[in-house]
Amino acid sequence: MTDLDLAAVRAFVTAVDEGQFGYAAAVLGLTQQAVSKRIAKLEGQLGVSLFDRTSSGSVISAAGKRVLPHARSLLETAADTVVAAQPETRPLRIAVQNEREAAADLVRYYVDRHLEADIELVIGTAFRSGRDALLNGRVDATFARPHGGPRRLPSGIGIVAALVDPWHLLVGTKHPLAGRPAVTPADIVPYPSWAPGASVPSEWADYYRDWAEFSGITILTGREPGGEPERENDRARGLFGKSGVLDRIAASDSLSMFATAGLHLPWHPHIRRLPVLDPTPAYPYALLWSTADPHPALPDLIDHVRQNYSADILADCWIPEPDRTIFQP
């Protein structure tokens, strides 16, 4: 069986498409003589004339018309073979816990400055964290706290500090602290704070526990403050929409809630957002990824995160001691 020369096949198809050997030569970046030689070689391999030579030029022959669709198919198959040999191209899947949080803004900032980046954001829930998505292989990377939670990170997980997001205290206008420009942990101690979602075992629930132990602030969890734990379908049933939670805080003269400075919450006329000082609790986000066969687009993102980490924010902040080894320069 004769092994056909793909360059010769391509010269034949291009000559047919362009109508003249000279035009085909220009498309292929060859001389007209080179195109003629390649077509002559293919004719020799096939044992037929692919063109009828006339006084006005060359026109495809009857044999050439029979060969043409197969020649096109051969070139398409060759192109598909080259594509199949390349690494799989798919979006870089990155998990964040909330589309309104600072980590999601970090990804958007990166994409705005790397227009070639193909990134798919995967949003977690209290019951399906970004760390779980990474460990289960559903995403390539996640922005999350690296310590705490019911599942410790195994070996083979890359970690780089991404950002620390200071906490604010949210109170209603009836709350005794509402008129303050800022508050300290000692100011908050007499008043309980509600942490919706922290009844579910997670790295952020452990953060709340550590903060409560450090500060002496009472942290209430549950579907109702201090009530039974959340259920996975609560949010689907509309029980824990952001507006409903804010309404509950706004109506109370004692209840408060912590929220990171980078969290975009719905505007509420009766909610006041107060900075927390001396110290400022801050939530630590790291970029986590599997070091086994990482996505080809990950190195650029890792470099971006590493270069833009603002460690200076930590100067007056509190974070749990285990996180300091990663976030403290």
Side-chain angles (χ1 to χ4, degrees):
M1 178 180 292
T2 301
D3 292 327
L4 299 182
D5 185 336
L6 282 178
V9 174
R10 184 169 287 106
F12 163 60
V13 172
T14 305
V16 173
D17 290 343
E18 298 300 321
Q20 293 186 22
F21 284 19
Y23 294 158
V27 169
L28 295 172
L30 302 170
T31 65
Q32 183 171 337
Q33 183 180 22
V35 170
S36 296
K37 285 185 176 180
R38 292 186 181 188
I39 292 174
K41 178 180 181 181
L42 181 60
E43 288 177 325
Q45 290 178 320
L46 296 174
V48 297
S49 294
L50 298 173
F51 291 93
D52 291 328
R53 277 70 176 178
T54 66
S55 57
S56 58
S58 299
V59 296
I60 190 170
S61 66
K65 291 178 181 179
R66 294 193 301 271
V67 169
L68 183 61
H70 301 286
R72 292 192 191 281
S73 179
L74 188 60
L75 293 178
E76 290 173 1
T77 299
D80 289 344
T81 301
V82 172
V83 170
Q86 304 307 308
E88 179 186 7
T89 56
R90 59 169 178 77
L92 174 62
R93 292 192 291 267
I94 301 175
V96 296
Q97 205 57 39
N98 190 309
E99 70 274 15
R100 295 171 177 264
E101 70 181 18
D105 286 340
L106 186 159
V107 176
R108 296 184 187 104
Y109 180 93
Y110 174 79
V111 171
D112 285 346
R113 287 154 181 78
H114 298 78
L115 298 180
E116 76 288 353
D118 186 9
I119 291 179
E120 176 184 332
L121 270 184
V122 177
I123 310 301
T125 71
F127 294 86
R128 294 181 177 85
S129 74
R131 276 177 37 174
D132 289 337
L134 175 65
L135 299 182
N136 294 337
R138 295 196 301 271
V139 298
D140 302 294
T142 185
F143 287 94
R145 184 186 171 208
H147 291 98
R151 298 176 66 183
R152 296 185 61 181
L153 292 177
S155 60
I157 298 297
I159 304 175
V160 62
L163 63 96
V164 287
D165 199 1
W167 269 9
H168 287 171
L169 187 72
L170 305 184
V171 298
T173 52
K174 300 176 183 178
H175 196 285
L177 299 177
R180 304 280 188 93
V183 292
T184 67
D187 295 329
I188 306 169
V189 167
Y191 310 103
S193 184
W194 186 26
S199 61
V200 181
S202 61
E203 60 268 22
W204 56 87
D206 288 350
Y207 179 96
Y208 274 105
R209 181 202 63 218
D210 292 346
W211 170 240
E213 291 178 356
F214 173 84
S215 66
I217 296 169
T218 299
I219 303 292
L220 304 176
T221 64
R223 305 171 80 201
E224 295 289 328
E228 63 183 57
E230 281 189 293
R231 300 171 184 170
E232 190 162 1
N233 65 346
D234 281 345
R235 294 184 188 276
R237 295 164 56 201
L239 298 183
F240 277 90
K242 290 291 189 298
S243 295
V245 170
L246 292 180
D247 285 343
R248 182 66 179 270
I249 300 298
S252 176
D253 61 1
S254 61
L255 194 63
S256 65
M257 184 176 77
F258 287 101
T260 57
L263 181 65
H264 305 290
L265 290 170
W267 181 80
H268 197 295
H270 305 299
I271 289 290
R272 300 294 178 261
R273 185 188 276 260
L274 311 176
V276 182
L277 308 176
D278 300 324
T280 299
Y283 196 83
Y285 293 92
L287 176 63
L288 312 176
W289 70 95
S290 173
T291 57
D293 192 24
H295 190 286
L298 260 176
D300 285 343
L301 178 62
I302 294 168
D303 287 344
H304 172 85
V305 169
R306 185 177 284 115
Q307 292 169 14
N308 288 281
Y309 171 55
S310 299
D312 59 296
I313 293 176
L314 268 181
D316 298 313
C317 289
W318 174 91
I319 61 173
E321 200 59 37
D323 296 308
R324 288 195 169 273
T325 56
I326 295 170
F327 290 87
Q328 191 72 53

